Amino acid sequence: MNIENVRAQMRKGVLEYCILSVLSNKACYVSDIIKTLKESEMIVVEGTLYPLLTRLKNMSLLTYRWEESNQGPPRKYYSLTEKGMEFLVEIDKSWQELVETVNQIRKSN
Amino acid sequence: MKKTFTINISGQIFNIDDDAYEKLGKYLNAINSRFSNREEGSEIISDVEARIAELFRERTSESKQVINMKDVGSIIEIMGEPEVFSDEEPVENNEFQSEKEEKPFKRVYRDPDDQIFGGVCSGLGAYFGMDPIIIRIVFVFLGLVFTVGFWIYLVLWAITPKASSSKEKLEMRGKKINVSNIEKTIKEEFENVKSNFKDMKKKKPYRDARNFFDESFDNMGHSARSVFKIAIFVFGIALVVTGLFFIISFFATYYSENGVFSLGFWSSDSYSLASALEAVFLSSNVTMLFLGLFFLIGIPILSLIYGGIKLIFNIRGKNRLIGSVFLIFWILGFIILAVVGISEGKNFRFKGKDIETHVISGLSSDTLCIQMEADSLNDDYFSLSEHSFNILDKDGERIVFGRPKISVSLSSTNKYELIIKKRARGKNRRNASDNSAEIQYSWEIKENKLILDQYFFLLPEEKWRKQELEILLKVPVGKSIYIAPEMNEIISGAYNKPGVPVEEIAGKTWVMKDEGLSLVLDTVGVD
């Protein structure tokens, strides 16, 4: 177990949250989501994203439509559903609580 | 100069180097295998391929029209190793990865390009990296000197697959790619690329295999079900046939001498059940009896037939009504039999008897010969109880008869006494005694012989009421009797010195003493 693995584990937990957050700002192409997450160094490789996107879609938190592209195959254009919005609000709360709790524990030492 | 493949990813055409193609193929296969067992798997995979196509698009241009190893490598870097694609726990990816990629992959194939018979030797040569000629020499040697070589070759021929695709040919030789060999089979490989990528495009190689097994099991199930249906059909027919057989025999043999339900079937003498019953029961009761029996035995058989018909014509559904009807009639049969049994049973409640005493005198000698009349009935008869119930059909007339029993005892007077005891049952005392009086029996005294009839008879219209006849012969002291041998069957007892079994009484002359009969002569007949 090296530090990269620990990091990867931590990131994995919040990745879905991050996807939802990115989409809450505006609807995006998959590649845009990837770009945003890469810029903030949330993900290093793209492969992790695809199963998560599909799962979130199957949970009806996301939806997509196909957009034609002049540079190749049609692309998926994702957006957050209403249910996704509500879900995100809940997760926001949980995230806040988690951050506070962890900081609490750190400070107490 | 390198060779390229033309591939199709997410509907886009790309040209790709052969080594890059191999690497890409492995990568995509690995990802495939991660998701082939999941529902959303195909969706994820198509998303991934679309992304890969996008990335490829970025890396091709007028000046660079072909995807190379570097491109594939960078794409793998960007997308991530196959492990990261799944939601499962990240595996220690290092060992896994190296195992898959680094190990040189070699397999034994038969080489179709260099075959004399089956290409076994050249295939083996390719695997071991030696000239096939050496292997051939070895086989010839083995074949000629030890014939087993021939068989080994045949077995190898059978079990070793032919390397038909380029991939297989590469595997046959290991990772080393020999360009000249590939050049020999350019056309073949183009075809293979198309079909290989088509398979990859299907994205569910394992699912296909599973579908195949599913379908074959399904088909097996179908055929098994058909076989089962046929078996049921046959069984149904068997049931119907058996049931009909029983019903018909029941009817037919109830009234005739031959068949399952006739009395003769179970014994050596035959008589029809119906006639036998008629001798006992009132005719009306006999009909009822028949009805009751029919219900009792027939209903289960009928339900067998019914079940059989249902099976044959594949009629589903338990028709409750029919079942209840069957049950009701069966119980009815039971009740009928019970009622008839009880009402007829009343006829046997009371006992009655009729006793005649005759004094025998005027004999020509001191020895009374006791013998039986010759058998007047020569035919076979049915006997339920020898001494009571036998039936015979003579000239269309039913004759019920029985054998008398005879015993010998001491006379209280100085005369021979013949006592005929007739016994019968009836529904009241008067009836019983009337029944007993109506027993027909004859005997006669001729010179010194007492000739007894073999049987007693019932009057034709008389019903059987357990009629019995007992003959008691009383012998005074000092007188003797000779008991003919044929009396053996009906002697039931004789007042004699203990120690002489009943079977040994007949055929001898006895003299009556105070203590009982005592043997005089052991000869055959004083005539």
mmCIF file with all atom_site columns, all heavy atoms in Angstrom, chain B residues 111-116 119-123 132 136 173:
data_model
loop_
_atom_site.group_PDB
_atom_site.id
_atom_site.type_symbol
_atom_site.label_atom_id
_atom_site.label_alt_id
_atom_site.label_comp_id
_atom_site.label_asym_id
_atom_site.label_entity_id
_atom_site.label_seq_id
_atom_site.pdbx_PDB_ins_code
_atom_site.Cartn_x
_atom_site.Cartn_y
_atom_site.Cartn_z
_atom_site.occupancy
_atom_site.B_iso_or_equiv
_atom_site.pdbx_formal_charge
_atom_site.auth_seq_id
_atom_site.auth_comp_id
_atom_site.auth_asym_id
_atom_site.auth_atom_id
_atom_site.pdbx_PDB_model_num
ATOM 1   N N   . ASP B 1 111 ? 0.734  -26.441 -38.315 1.00 0.00 ? 111 ASP B N   1
ATOM 2   C CA  . ASP B 1 111 ? 1.046  -25.408 -39.298 1.00 0.00 ? 111 ASP B CA  1
ATOM 3   C C   . ASP B 1 111 ? 0.498  -25.803 -40.660 1.00 0.00 ? 111 ASP B C   1
ATOM 4   O O   . ASP B 1 111 ? 0.980  -26.755 -41.263 1.00 0.00 ? 111 ASP B O   1
ATOM 5   C CB  . ASP B 1 111 ? 2.571  -25.232 -39.366 1.00 0.00 ? 111 ASP B CB  1
ATOM 6   C CG  . ASP B 1 111 ? 2.940  -24.003 -40.180 1.00 0.00 ? 111 ASP B CG  1
ATOM 7   O OD1 . ASP B 1 111 ? 2.021  -23.399 -40.787 1.00 0.00 ? 111 ASP B OD1 1
ATOM 8   O OD2 . ASP B 1 111 ? 4.118  -23.661 -40.189 1.00 0.00 ? 111 ASP B OD2 1
ATOM 9   N N   . PRO B 1 112 ? -0.500 -25.093 -41.124 1.00 0.00 ? 112 PRO B N   1
ATOM 10  C CA  . PRO B 1 112 ? -1.078 -25.488 -42.414 1.00 0.00 ? 112 PRO B CA  1
ATOM 11  C C   . PRO B 1 112 ? -0.199 -25.104 -43.590 1.00 0.00 ? 112 PRO B C   1
ATOM 12  O O   . PRO B 1 112 ? -0.372 -25.613 -44.695 1.00 0.00 ? 112 PRO B O   1
ATOM 13  C CB  . PRO B 1 112 ? -2.402 -24.718 -42.446 1.00 0.00 ? 112 PRO B CB  1
ATOM 14  C CG  . PRO B 1 112 ? -2.157 -23.516 -41.601 1.00 0.00 ? 112 PRO B CG  1
ATOM 15  C CD  . PRO B 1 112 ? -1.164 -23.914 -40.566 1.00 0.00 ? 112 PRO B CD  1
ATOM 16  N N   . ASP B 1 113 ? 0.755  -24.186 -43.355 1.00 0.00 ? 113 ASP B N   1
ATOM 17  C CA  . ASP B 1 113 ? 1.579  -23.722 -44.482 1.00 0.00 ? 113 ASP B CA  1
ATOM 18  C C   . ASP B 1 113 ? 2.717  -24.679 -44.779 1.00 0.00 ? 113 ASP B C   1
ATOM 19  O O   . ASP B 1 113 ? 3.363  -24.578 -45.800 1.00 0.00 ? 113 ASP B O   1
ATOM 20  C CB  . ASP B 1 113 ? 2.183  -22.336 -44.166 1.00 0.00 ? 113 ASP B CB  1
ATOM 21  C CG  . ASP B 1 113 ? 1.105  -21.342 -43.810 1.00 0.00 ? 113 ASP B CG  1
ATOM 22  O OD1 . ASP B 1 113 ? 0.040  -21.394 -44.467 1.00 0.00 ? 113 ASP B OD1 1
ATOM 23  O OD2 . ASP B 1 113 ? 1.313  -20.563 -42.879 1.00 0.00 ? 113 ASP B OD2 1
ATOM 24  N N   . ASP B 1 114 ? 2.965  -25.562 -43.882 1.00 0.00 ? 114 ASP B N   1
ATOM 25  C CA  . ASP B 1 114 ? 4.093  -26.447 -44.078 1.00 0.00 ? 114 ASP B CA  1
ATOM 26  C C   . ASP B 1 114 ? 3.671  -27.844 -43.670 1.00 0.00 ? 114 ASP B C   1
ATOM 27  O O   . ASP B 1 114 ? 4.206  -28.418 -42.719 1.00 0.00 ? 114 ASP B O   1
ATOM 28  C CB  . ASP B 1 114 ? 5.263  -25.943 -43.211 1.00 0.00 ? 114 ASP B CB  1
ATOM 29  C CG  . ASP B 1 114 ? 6.522  -26.798 -43.415 1.00 0.00 ? 114 ASP B CG  1
ATOM 30  O OD1 . ASP B 1 114 ? 6.539  -27.595 -44.378 1.00 0.00 ? 114 ASP B OD1 1
ATOM 31  O OD2 . ASP B 1 114 ? 7.425  -26.679 -42.583 1.00 0.00 ? 114 ASP B OD2 1
ATOM 32  N N   . GLN B 1 115 ? 2.684  -28.355 -44.341 1.00 0.00 ? 115 GLN B N   1
ATOM 33  C CA  . GLN B 1 115 ? 2.221  -29.655 -43.881 1.00 0.00 ? 115 GLN B CA  1
ATOM 34  C C   . GLN B 1 115 ? 2.393  -30.711 -44.941 1.00 0.00 ? 115 GLN B C   1
ATOM 35  O O   . GLN B 1 115 ? 2.200  -30.475 -46.129 1.00 0.00 ? 115 GLN B O   1
ATOM 36  C CB  . GLN B 1 115 ? 0.744  -29.592 -43.451 1.00 0.00 ? 115 GLN B CB  1
ATOM 37  C CG  . GLN B 1 115 ? -0.222 -29.197 -44.563 1.00 0.00 ? 115 GLN B CG  1
ATOM 38  C CD  . GLN B 1 115 ? -1.653 -29.113 -44.055 1.00 0.00 ? 115 GLN B CD  1
ATOM 39  O OE1 . GLN B 1 115 ? -2.030 -28.129 -43.463 1.00 0.00 ? 115 GLN B OE1 1
ATOM 40  N NE2 . GLN B 1 115 ? -2.404 -30.165 -44.280 1.00 0.00 ? 115 GLN B NE2 1
ATOM 41  N N   . ILE B 1 116 ? 2.770  -31.890 -44.498 1.00 0.00 ? 116 ILE B N   1
ATOM 42  C CA  . ILE B 1 116 ? 2.856  -33.029 -45.407 1.00 0.00 ? 116 ILE B CA  1
ATOM 43  C C   . ILE B 1 116 ? 1.585  -33.855 -45.264 1.00 0.00 ? 116 ILE B C   1
ATOM 44  O O   . ILE B 1 116 ? 0.911  -34.152 -46.234 1.00 0.00 ? 116 ILE B O   1
ATOM 45  C CB  . ILE B 1 116 ? 4.112  -33.870 -45.111 1.00 0.00 ? 116 ILE B CB  1
ATOM 46  C CG1 . ILE B 1 116 ? 5.345  -33.025 -45.392 1.00 0.00 ? 116 ILE B CG1 1
ATOM 47  C CG2 . ILE B 1 116 ? 4.064  -35.146 -45.915 1.00 0.00 ? 116 ILE B CG2 1
ATOM 48  C CD1 . ILE B 1 116 ? 6.603  -33.813 -45.544 1.00 0.00 ? 116 ILE B CD1 1
ATOM 49  N N   . GLY B 1 119 ? 0.484  -31.403 -40.781 1.00 0.00 ? 119 GLY B N   1
ATOM 50  C CA  . GLY B 1 119 ? 1.172  -30.231 -40.266 1.00 0.00 ? 119 GLY B CA  1
ATOM 51  C C   . GLY B 1 119 ? 1.566  -30.372 -38.817 1.00 0.00 ? 119 GLY B C   1
ATOM 52  O O   . GLY B 1 119 ? 1.938  -29.396 -38.168 1.00 0.00 ? 119 GLY B O   1
ATOM 53  N N   . VAL B 1 120 ? 1.484  -31.584 -38.299 1.00 0.00 ? 120 VAL B N   1
ATOM 54  C CA  . VAL B 1 120 ? 1.814  -31.802 -36.892 1.00 0.00 ? 120 VAL B CA  1
ATOM 55  C C   . VAL B 1 120 ? 3.291  -31.518 -36.648 1.00 0.00 ? 120 VAL B C   1
ATOM 56  O O   . VAL B 1 120 ? 3.662  -30.774 -35.730 1.00 0.00 ? 120 VAL B O   1
ATOM 57  C CB  . VAL B 1 120 ? 1.480  -33.248 -36.487 1.00 0.00 ? 120 VAL B CB  1
ATOM 58  C CG1 . VAL B 1 120 ? 2.002  -33.536 -35.102 1.00 0.00 ? 120 VAL B CG1 1
ATOM 59  C CG2 . VAL B 1 120 ? -0.015 -33.476 -36.545 1.00 0.00 ? 120 VAL B CG2 1
ATOM 60  N N   . CYS B 1 121 ? 4.108  -32.076 -37.500 1.00 0.00 ? 121 CYS B N   1
ATOM 61  C CA  . CYS B 1 121 ? 5.551  -31.933 -37.272 1.00 0.00 ? 121 CYS B CA  1
ATOM 62  C C   . CYS B 1 121 ? 6.014  -30.495 -37.397 1.00 0.00 ? 121 CYS B C   1
ATOM 63  O O   . CYS B 1 121 ? 6.834  -30.031 -36.597 1.00 0.00 ? 121 CYS B O   1
ATOM 64  C CB  . CYS B 1 121 ? 6.320  -32.811 -38.269 1.00 0.00 ? 121 CYS B CB  1
ATOM 65  S SG  . CYS B 1 121 ? 6.004  -34.552 -38.025 1.00 0.00 ? 121 CYS B SG  1
ATOM 66  N N   . SER B 1 122 ? 5.483  -29.789 -38.394 1.00 0.00 ? 122 SER B N   1
ATOM 67  C CA  . SER B 1 122 ? 5.930  -28.399 -38.546 1.00 0.00 ? 122 SER B CA  1
ATOM 68  C C   . SER B 1 122 ? 5.413  -27.553 -37.406 1.00 0.00 ? 122 SER B C   1
ATOM 69  O O   . SER B 1 122 ? 6.091  -26.630 -36.945 1.00 0.00 ? 122 SER B O   1
ATOM 70  C CB  . SER B 1 122 ? 5.492  -27.835 -39.895 1.00 0.00 ? 122 SER B CB  1
ATOM 71  O OG  . SER B 1 122 ? 4.141  -28.147 -40.121 1.00 0.00 ? 122 SER B OG  1
ATOM 72  N N   . GLY B 1 123 ? 4.212  -27.892 -36.918 1.00 0.00 ? 123 GLY B N   1
ATOM 73  C CA  . GLY B 1 123 ? 3.692  -27.148 -35.781 1.00 0.00 ? 123 GLY B CA  1
ATOM 74  C C   . GLY B 1 123 ? 4.570  -27.340 -34.558 1.00 0.00 ? 123 GLY B C   1
ATOM 75  O O   . GLY B 1 123 ? 4.906  -26.389 -33.842 1.00 0.00 ? 123 GLY B O   1
ATOM 76  N N   . PRO B 1 132 ? 11.371 -28.523 -38.696 1.00 0.00 ? 132 PRO B N   1
ATOM 77  C CA  . PRO B 1 132 ? 10.413 -29.637 -38.679 1.00 0.00 ? 132 PRO B CA  1
ATOM 78  C C   . PRO B 1 132 ? 10.988 -30.940 -39.214 1.00 0.00 ? 132 PRO B C   1
ATOM 79  O O   . PRO B 1 132 ? 10.527 -32.014 -38.869 1.00 0.00 ? 132 PRO B O   1
ATOM 80  C CB  . PRO B 1 132 ? 9.274  -29.142 -39.579 1.00 0.00 ? 132 PRO B CB  1
ATOM 81  C CG  . PRO B 1 132 ? 9.533  -27.736 -39.892 1.00 0.00 ? 132 PRO B CG  1
ATOM 82  C CD  . PRO B 1 132 ? 10.850 -27.322 -39.342 1.00 0.00 ? 132 PRO B CD  1
ATOM 83  N N   . ARG B 1 136 ? 10.159 -34.712 -38.100 1.00 0.00 ? 136 ARG B N   1
ATOM 84  C CA  . ARG B 1 136 ? 9.609  -35.710 -39.022 1.00 0.00 ? 136 ARG B CA  1
ATOM 85  C C   . ARG B 1 136 ? 10.416 -36.988 -38.970 1.00 0.00 ? 136 ARG B C   1
ATOM 86  O O   . ARG B 1 136 ? 9.854  -38.076 -38.967 1.00 0.00 ? 136 ARG B O   1
ATOM 87  C CB  . ARG B 1 136 ? 9.613  -35.142 -40.451 1.00 0.00 ? 136 ARG B CB  1
ATOM 88  C CG  . ARG B 1 136 ? 8.554  -34.081 -40.626 1.00 0.00 ? 136 ARG B CG  1
ATOM 89  C CD  . ARG B 1 136 ? 8.292  -33.773 -42.066 1.00 0.00 ? 136 ARG B CD  1
ATOM 90  N NE  . ARG B 1 136 ? 7.259  -32.748 -42.127 1.00 0.00 ? 136 ARG B NE  1
ATOM 91  C CZ  . ARG B 1 136 ? 7.451  -31.501 -42.551 1.00 0.00 ? 136 ARG B CZ  1
ATOM 92  N NH1 . ARG B 1 136 ? 8.636  -31.135 -43.000 1.00 0.00 ? 136 ARG B NH1 1
ATOM 93  N NH2 . ARG B 1 136 ? 6.457  -30.639 -42.550 1.00 0.00 ? 136 ARG B NH2 1
ATOM 94  N N   . ARG B 1 173 ? 4.351  -19.421 -33.146 1.00 0.00 ? 173 ARG B N   1
ATOM 95  C CA  . ARG B 1 173 ? 5.792  -19.190 -33.126 1.00 0.00 ? 173 ARG B CA  1
ATOM 96  C C   . ARG B 1 173 ? 6.258  -18.406 -31.931 1.00 0.00 ? 173 ARG B C   1
ATOM 97  O O   . ARG B 1 173 ? 7.432  -18.210 -31.732 1.00 0.00 ? 173 ARG B O   1
ATOM 98  C CB  . ARG B 1 173 ? 6.211  -18.443 -34.401 1.00 0.00 ? 173 ARG B CB  1
ATOM 99  C CG  . ARG B 1 173 ? 6.265  -19.385 -35.576 1.00 0.00 ? 173 ARG B CG  1
ATOM 100 C CD  . ARG B 1 173 ? 6.360  -18.658 -36.896 1.00 0.00 ? 173 ARG B CD  1
ATOM 101 N NE  . ARG B 1 173 ? 6.394  -19.638 -37.959 1.00 0.00 ? 173 ARG B NE  1
ATOM 102 C CZ  . ARG B 1 173 ? 5.344  -20.326 -38.358 1.00 0.00 ? 173 ARG B CZ  1
ATOM 103 N NH1 . ARG B 1 173 ? 4.185  -20.095 -37.806 1.00 0.00 ? 173 ARG B NH1 1
ATOM 104 N NH2 . ARG B 1 173 ? 5.449  -21.219 -39.317 1.00 0.00 ? 173 ARG B NH2 1
#
